[in-house]
Amino acid sequence: MTSRDDRCRKPIRWPFTLLSLLTLLQILVSVLSYRRIGVPEARVDALKLGRVTAGATAEVGGLREGDVVRTVNGIPFESYDVAPRSKLVGPGEQASFVVHRDGSLLALRVRFVPLAEAALPTLVSSLIVGLVFWSSSTILLYRRSYRPDVRLLFCLAQVIAVAVHLPPLGYLNWIHVSQFPVLVSILAVSLTAPVLLHYHVTYPVPLGTRTQRRWGLAAAYGAVVLADVVYVAAALQWLVDPVVVAPLVVGWFVLELLVSVVAGCYVYLWRADADQRRRLRVVVASVTLAFIGSAFLYWLPAAMEGVSLAPEWAVRPLLLLPLLGYALATVRHGLFSIDRLLNRALVYVILSVAVFGLYLGPFLVVDRLLGGNVIVHTGIVAALALLVGLS
C-alpha cells in the first residue's frame, strides 16, 4: 500500500465513522423503544388478519385461539396502526376488544404488555444480527477504507443493521407507523434497494459511462427519497392515509431490487471475466440460500396459511448469509477454492432434490391411489427405497 493511500484514509474515514456511530445509536434507541410499545397479552397475529393464534386462555381477557379481532377501542383492527396516537393502548393498560367467535360478536377486556416481553426472542435475534452487520462492516471499512467498493458495502451493511430492527411482522398492526424507531427502520428498508443497485452497477464491472451512472443513480436515490418523504408525511398524518401510500413505496422498492438483480445478471453473463464471475457466484449463492430459506420457512407459509414453518427469530439470522457472500466477494481471498466448493455443492443440491422427488412423488401417487394398511405402506416404502438406492 502506498503512502498516498495512507494519506487518503483519514479524511475519508471520518464521515463513515459518524455514520457508524449513528447506526449504533439507532440500534440502541430501537431496543429501548420496544419496552414502551404495547401489544395484547394474547397473541393476535397480524398475518392472519386479527386471528388469535396462541397463548390465549381465560386468564387473558377471555380470548381463545381462533377468535378474530374486529375492533380495538372502537378502531377497526386493520386501521389500529394508523389511528391517532391518543387512542393507542400502552403497556399495562386494558383495551375493549370486539371479537368474532362461532358466528357471534363478543366484547372483551384485554391487557396489553410491552413488545419487548411479548416478542423477546425475535428482538434478541434482530439485535444480534444488527450488531454483526454493524461491527463486521465497520471493521472492514477501518482496514480498507481507501476502496470505493468497501465503502459502498459498508453503507449497505449499516442500512441493513437499522432495517433489521423492524418489529416482528406478526405485531406490526399494533405499532403506530409514526413512532420514530419504527419509522426509521422502514426508511432504512427502502434505502437498501438503491444502495444495492449502486453496488451492482459499479462493481465488479462499471456499467455505462460515468455520466450515465451518475444520472441513473441520482434518479434511483431521488425516487426513493421522494417516496420516503411522502410516506413520512402520511405517517405523521399530514397528507393521505399511509395505507394508500405504502403500496407505492413497496412497489418502487421492489422495482429497484429487480433492476439491481437484472444488472447483476447482465454483468455476470456478458461483461465479467473469470475472476469477476467467481466473485459474483459467491454473492449469488449466499443471496439465493438466504432467499430460499426465508421464503420457504417464513414468507410463503405466512402468506398462504398465516402460520410460518419457523419462528421469525430463527429466520432473521439468514440475512447474515448475503453479508458473508458480499464480504468474501469484496475481500477476494481464496475465491478459487470457494468457487470449486460452490460448484460441487450445486451438483449435490440438484442430485438431492432429484432423489427426493424420485422418492416422494411416486409415494404420494401410489398412496393416494391404493391407500391401504401398514403392510401396503411398508411395501411401498421398501420398493421406493430400493429404486432410490439403485438410482
Side-chain angles (χ1 to χ4, degrees):
M1 187 180 302
T2 64
S3 58
R4 182 174 180 273
D5 289 333
D6 291 332
R7 291 194 302 270
C8 291
R9 283 186 174 192
K10 291 185 178 180
I12 289 176
R13 193 180 293 166
W14 278 109
F16 296 100
T17 301
L18 178 61
L19 176 60
S20 178
L21 294 177
L22 290 176
T23 299
L24 186 60
L25 177 62
Q26 174 58 28
I27 292 175
L28 179 62
V29 170
S30 296
V31 171
L32 294 178
S33 69
Y34 293 144
R35 297 188 59 84
R36 300 192 302 271
I37 296 176
V39 297
E41 188 175 11
R43 177 67 184 271
V44 183
D45 202 330
L47 294 174
K48 297 195 71 175
L49 301 179
R51 185 177 298 275
V52 180
T53 58
T57 63
E59 286 74 27
V60 283
L63 287 175
R64 298 179 185 174
E65 187 168 355
D67 290 350
V68 179
V69 178
R70 298 301 189 191
T71 64
V72 182
N73 285 346
I75 303 170
F77 170 77
E78 61 273 11
S79 302
Y80 183 81
D81 57 339
V82 294
R85 299 188 65 161
S86 59
K87 296 185 178 181
L88 297 182
V89 182
E93 300 175 356
Q94 288 187 338
S96 298
F97 275 48
V98 174
V99 302
H100 184 269
R101 179 192 300 169
D102 298 330
S104 60
L105 296 178
L106 301 176
L108 304 172
R109 296 287 295 179
V110 179
R111 188 173 72 94
F112 275 47
V113 298
L115 177 63
E117 175 184 327
L120 182 60
T122 301
L123 299 181
V124 171
S125 175
S126 299
L127 176 61
I128 294 173
V129 172
L131 290 178
V132 170
F133 269 92
W134 172 80
S135 59
S136 58
S137 59
T138 301
I139 293 173
L140 182 60
L141 178 78
Y142 179 81
R143 295 177 60 86
R144 305 191 179 199
S145 61
Y146 57 92
R147 286 179 48 179
D149 56 338
V150 170
R151 297 198 296 269
L152 191 55
L153 181 61
F154 166 81
C155 292
L156 179 61
Q158 296 293 303
V159 171
I160 295 177
V162 175
V164 77
H165 284 83
L166 190 70
L169 297 181
Y171 291 96
L172 278 183
N173 273 68
W174 303 108
I175 301 168
H176 201 285
V177 292
S178 66
Q179 289 174 311
F180 180 76
V182 178
L183 190 58
V184 172
S185 294
I186 294 174
L187 299 182
V189 171
S190 68
L191 282 175
T192 57
V195 178
L196 189 64
L197 177 61
H198 190 171
Y199 188 94
H200 281 289
V201 301
T202 311
Y203 305 101
V205 178
L207 297 179
T209 63
R210 182 185 296 271
T211 302
Q212 291 172 337
R213 289 195 302 275
R214 183 181 296 116
W215 282 103
L217 291 174
Y221 283 107
V224 169
V225 170
L226 179 61
D228 286 344
V229 169
V230 174
Y231 182 78
V232 170
L236 297 176
Q237 298 177 345
W238 293 343
L239 294 174
V240 296
D241 195 320
V243 175
V244 178
V245 177
L248 300 178
V249 178
V250 173
W252 191 258
F253 169 78
V254 173
L255 177 62
E256 291 201 6
L257 280 183
L258 292 176
V259 173
S260 66
V261 171
V262 171
C265 293
Y266 173 76
V267 170
Y268 180 82
L269 294 175
W270 288 288
R271 298 292 301 275
D273 57 27
D275 178 67
Q276 292 164 345
R277 288 182 179 177
R278 196 171 291 124
R279 295 171 62 185
L280 289 174
R281 272 196 288 269
V282 175
V283 171
V284 170
S286 61
V287 173
T288 300
L289 287 175
F291 174 78
I292 291 176
S294 301
F296 283 93
L297 293 176
Y298 190 82
W299 296 104
L300 292 179
M304 293 186 297
E305 301 293 336
V307 179
S308 59
L309 297 179
E312 193 169 348
W313 64 264
V315 174
R316 292 202 178 195
L318 291 175
L319 291 172
L320 296 176
L321 290 176
L323 172 65
L324 178 62
Y326 277 96
L328 288 174
T330 301
V331 176
R332 292 179 288 182
H333 284 328
L335 285 185
F336 184 73
S337 58
I338 294 175
D339 190 56
R340 292 173 59 188
L341 176 62
L342 290 177
N343 288 334
R344 292 179 180 178
L346 181 61
V347 173
Y348 294 148
V349 168
I350 293 175
L351 288 176
S352 300
V353 172
V355 170
F356 182 72
L358 182 65
Y359 182 89
L360 183 62
F363 177 81
L364 293 177
V365 172
V366 174
D367 181 67
R368 184 175 183 83
L369 293 177
L370 298 181
N373 52 29
V374 177
I375 298 177
V376 175
H377 279 259
T378 304
I380 294 174
V381 171
L384 289 177
L386 178 61
L387 177 61
V388 169
L390 292 175
S391 301

